Amino acid sequence: GLQSEGAAHSSVGIVMYRGGGVSRTYPVNQQYAGIVIGPKGSGIKSLQEIPGVYNVNFDTRRGYILTVRASSADVCEMVNAEVQKRIVRNTEKSSRIPKVTRIFIESNRNQKIVLDTKASGVKIFCVVKEKYDQPFYHLNKFENMTQDDSMQKMRIQSHEKSPYDMINYTELSLIKALKETLEITKKENVKAIDFNVSPGKYMFLNKSGGSQQKCLFLNSSGTLQNGEFKQAEIQPVYNTFLHPDLNKEIRDNLRLKGFSNVNETDPDKFTTIHLFAGEKKRRFSVILDLDENLNEINDASDLLLHPDKNSPPGAFKKLKHACEELKAGGEISASALKINKDATGASKPPKVISVKTEKNKLCNITFFSADVLDIRASITSFKEDINKLSEHVRDVLNDCWNKRDEEGGIVTPEGNTGIYIQCIKQVTAAHIWLKVIESALGEAVFEVKVKEMREKIEGNAEWQECIEIDMKILVEGREHLEMSSEELASQVLEMKNIWKCICPN
């Protein structure tokens, strides 16, 4: 395990051999023993296949000690780094499994879903090839069944119910899912949530190769069961990383629908880092400001209405005023969007905008239709505290920050730092689009955040350009955590309907 919060992992013992080679031992937390060993010992076997490794032994009887003998100390550290990555992936996966899941398919039981390995029309998505090294099926169309299809559908076997079944949409089902989520927030005494709606689309990971097209059928109750995907050896993956070529059409559609870009001449720039640190593999989401005049990571003394932060008190009035000024032909400065906050920590230049910990996915509600893009509503609980970052984590991030590439991209940590970066998002331009609407809860501000970014996952060398969009409805004096399930449902549907007008064709 790691020495302390964010400290680098150190070995217990080092042995040098006369005939060449080095042996190092590493302690492993007991709860991660299964991850190290793997099914039928496959984890240990894959570690032994790393070039330069002579032998790997994991002693579970005397303190859970991993012993690595290899050609050099660097190779030993490579083995340890691989073990730590496995633990991080397992920790990350468990924290992102939502406690409430609903997938609504907008089809009728007389239609079939046609998937194709070739994406039709405009390029919609960016896919991280290093993460998904298998081909994808894309939605081709929802098509009425033929008589032959009906005969084939009759042969569909019934599968066990799953939270990942795609079911027919009803407003009652939507409200019920949100009610379950709110009950969880009360039971777990949740103090803060992110409630976001993001456009995206299901893609289908092709695990078996096979034909260019596949057809899926709904069962007699109009449900596309998850067992059908497993039987077809495909895995649905919801993708929010949109192709940069969509940016212009989305901007044009926003203007046509009466939205105003409140920071068009000076869009926000920042970097979001999702990382794990410490013996308990705590997950942090850190937002760093990209102001070139700042030299050190430190506490923020005041906050902008930041594209990756919750809206602080007073945000509704600020945003509404900005929207009205633009409608009247005025201009908005960056200072007009600033919200004051008490200073914390030292008086050094701020660079840390936000630090979120203990993030847990409470709810995912996803729509799947024949449209080019659909939406997913997510509710995530978190705790926010800039001071949670240890000095070690700050030092490592400062070092990575100082080594940014020519385009401002932060590098991943070198060596055995004990910090494992899951994802880096370098937002090169975050545009905030606003429109005052009359919602079910009264006058509200509809906010669309379009983030142009470069993304890098799990330390991959290559950056990928994409755009990501978040939508939110702000009502004065109403926090999402305090709303009823019916009120949250009304917001989801309002955003869904407005998005249909903005969505690229």
Side-chain angles (χ1 to χ4, degrees):
L2 304 185
Q3 294 287 317
S4 60
E5 181 61 42
H9 186 284
S10 60
S11 57
V12 171
I14 305 174
V15 178
M16 308 289 291
Y17 294 90
R18 289 183 179 179
V22 174
S23 176
R24 283 195 172 186
T25 55
Y26 302 91
V28 176
N29 192 305
Q30 180 179 349
Q31 72 183 94
Y32 303 130
I35 300 172
V36 176
I37 297 170
K40 298 181 180 181
S42 59
I44 297 295
K45 183 179 179 181
S46 65
L47 293 176
Q48 290 175 332
E49 292 173 351
I50 293 175
V53 173
Y54 300 151
N55 184 58
V56 177
N57 181 64
F58 187 38
D59 190 345
T60 59
R61 293 171 296 178
R62 293 187 293 271
Y64 296 90
I65 301 298
L66 183 72
T67 303
V68 182
R69 185 180 177 190
S71 59
S72 68
D74 286 344
V75 175
C76 291
E77 291 301 318
M78 285 174 59
V79 173
N80 178 51
E82 175 59 30
V83 169
Q84 299 304 313
K85 285 180 182 178
R86 291 183 191 175
I87 294 171
V88 164
R89 290 191 190 108
N90 183 76
T91 306
E92 189 271 340
K93 184 178 179 180
S94 62
S95 70
R96 292 183 65 84
I97 297 175
K99 298 184 179 181
V100 177
T101 298
R102 294 290 189 281
I103 307 171
F104 296 117
I105 185 167
E106 298 184 81
S107 176
N108 65 63
R109 65 193 66 188
N110 295 318
Q111 288 185 311
K112 63 181 179 182
I113 291 85
V114 182
L115 306 180
D116 200 304
T117 53
K118 295 181 180 179
S120 59
V122 65
K123 189 172 178 60
I124 301 296
F125 305 108
C126 295
V127 180
V128 181
K129 293 181 180 178
E130 291 83 354
K131 186 173 181 180
Y132 300 111
D133 57 356
Q134 296 164 298
F136 277 90
Y137 283 108
H138 303 268
L139 174 66
N140 182 295
K141 56 188 172 182
F142 285 26
E143 185 177 64
N144 290 332
M145 291 191 299
T146 64
Q147 188 173 357
D148 289 342
D149 292 329
S150 299
M151 295 297 292
Q152 185 175 344
K153 180 178 177 178
M154 289 176 64
R155 294 192 290 269
I156 292 177
Q157 67 183 65
S158 180
H159 303 277
E160 291 185 4
K161 283 188 176 182
S162 163
Y164 298 101
D165 289 344
M166 296 186 176
I167 63 175
N168 274 330
Y169 166 76
T170 66
E171 188 171 352
L172 186 61
S173 297
L174 174 60
I175 292 171
K176 184 178 178 181
L178 291 167
K179 186 176 181 180
E180 288 178 28
T181 307
L182 292 177
E183 287 172 352
I184 293 171
T185 64
K186 292 175 183 176
K187 183 179 179 180
E188 298 183 359
N189 197 27
V190 170
K191 301 296 184 183
I193 61 169
D194 277 329
F195 175 60
N196 281 319
V197 173
S198 300
K201 195 72 179 179
Y202 273 114
M203 304 171 68
F204 301 88
L205 190 62
N206 182 0
K207 293 184 174 182
S208 62
S211 60
Q212 180 179 324
Q213 281 196 348
K214 284 196 177 182
C215 295
L216 300 171
F217 300 95
L218 283 63
N219 65 15
S220 57
S221 62
T223 297
L224 180 54
Q225 292 187 287
N226 189 51
E228 281 294 292
F229 294 120
K230 291 182 178 180
Q231 190 170 313
E233 296 186 275
I234 56 180
Q235 177 187 340
V237 177
Y238 189 77
N239 190 355
T240 60
F241 302 133
L242 308 181
H243 198 275
D245 288 351
L246 296 177
N247 201 2
K248 183 181 184 304
E249 186 176 353
I250 291 171
R251 286 200 316 264
D252 291 344
N253 289 345
L254 283 165
R255 285 194 178 93
L256 285 172
K257 295 303 173 183
F259 283 81
S260 300
N261 187 345
V262 297
N263 62 344
E264 185 169 13
T265 58
D266 187 23
D268 292 294
K269 300 177 182 180
F270 56 94
T271 297
T272 300
I273 305 173
H274 301 294
L275 62 88
F276 289 83
E279 183 176 359
K280 295 183 179 180
K281 301 294 180 288
R282 295 187 63 192
R283 185 171 183 243
F284 295 86
S285 292
V286 183
I287 299 176
L288 308 181
D289 198 315
L290 275 179
D291 188 337
E292 294 297 331
N293 296 320
L294 306 179
N295 299 314
E296 294 181 347
I297 293 177
N298 199 49
D299 300 334
S301 58
D302 50 17
L303 301 169
L304 289 176
L305 295 181
H306 201 275
D308 255 21
K309 282 189 61 60
N310 286 341
S311 299
F316 174 84
K317 290 182 178 179
K318 291 274 184 180
L319 293 174
K320 183 185 175 187
H321 175 72
C323 191
E324 290 171 345
E325 284 291 304
L326 285 172
K327 286 289 185 183
E331 295 183 355
I332 300 297
S333 66
S335 60
L337 293 177
K338 184 170 285 189
I339 301 290
N340 293 327
K341 185 179 180 182
D342 293 336
T344 57
S347 59
K348 295 179 181 179
K351 189 175 289 182
V352 174
I353 300 298
S354 170
V355 176
K356 292 180 179 179
T357 63
E358 300 182 39
K359 292 181 69 173
N360 283 298
K361 185 74 72 174
L362 300 182
C363 176
N364 272 348
I365 297 173
T366 315
F367 293 84
F368 179 51
S369 73
D371 293 340
V372 173
L373 290 172
D374 294 313
I375 64 165
R376 166 175 283 178
S378 297
I379 297 179
T380 306
S381 64
F382 67 92
K383 292 183 179 178
E384 185 164 13
D385 187 351
I386 288 177
N387 298 315
K388 284 288 185 182
L389 284 185
S390 68
E391 288 301 317
H392 173 70
V393 175
R394 290 175 185 271
D395 290 344
V396 171
L397 292 182
N398 267 316
D399 182 59
C400 296
W401 180 270
N402 291 332
K403 296 175 181 177
R404 297 191 305 283
D405 63 26
E406 293 181 356
E407 296 182 66
I410 193 170
V411 302
T412 52
E414 297 177 354
N416 192 26
T417 64
I419 295 173
Y420 301 91
I421 290 183
Q422 174 209 4
C423 176
I424 304 174
K425 295 180 180 180
Q426 181 203 352
V427 178
T428 55
H431 291 273
I432 301 175
W433 294 81
L434 303 176
K435 181 179 180 180
V436 177
I437 65 170
E438 195 61 39
S439 73
L441 300 178
E443 189 178 54
V445 173
F446 192 114
E447 179 183 77
V448 180
K449 301 170 183 176
V450 182
K451 293 177 286 187
E452 303 169 25
M453 66 172 70
R454 300 165 73 218
E455 186 198 40
K456 186 160 61 171
I457 289 182
E458 290 189 2
N460 293 323
E462 298 298 321
W463 289 88
Q464 174 179 254
E465 291 189 8
C466 60
I467 60 173
E468 200 171 36
I469 299 172
D470 293 324
M471 300 185 293
K472 190 176 294 184
I473 294 177
L474 302 173
V475 181
E476 185 172 12
R478 299 297 305 276
E479 297 293 328
H480 289 118
L481 190 56
E482 299 168 356
M483 291 183 183
S484 68
S485 54
E486 290 82 3
E487 289 171 334
L488 289 176
S490 71
Q491 289 208 341
V492 171
L493 295 177
E494 284 169 342
M495 284 185 270
K496 181 176 181 290
N497 291 334
I498 293 178
W499 171 250
K500 280 183 175 288
C501 301
I502 303 168
C503 177
N505 296 316

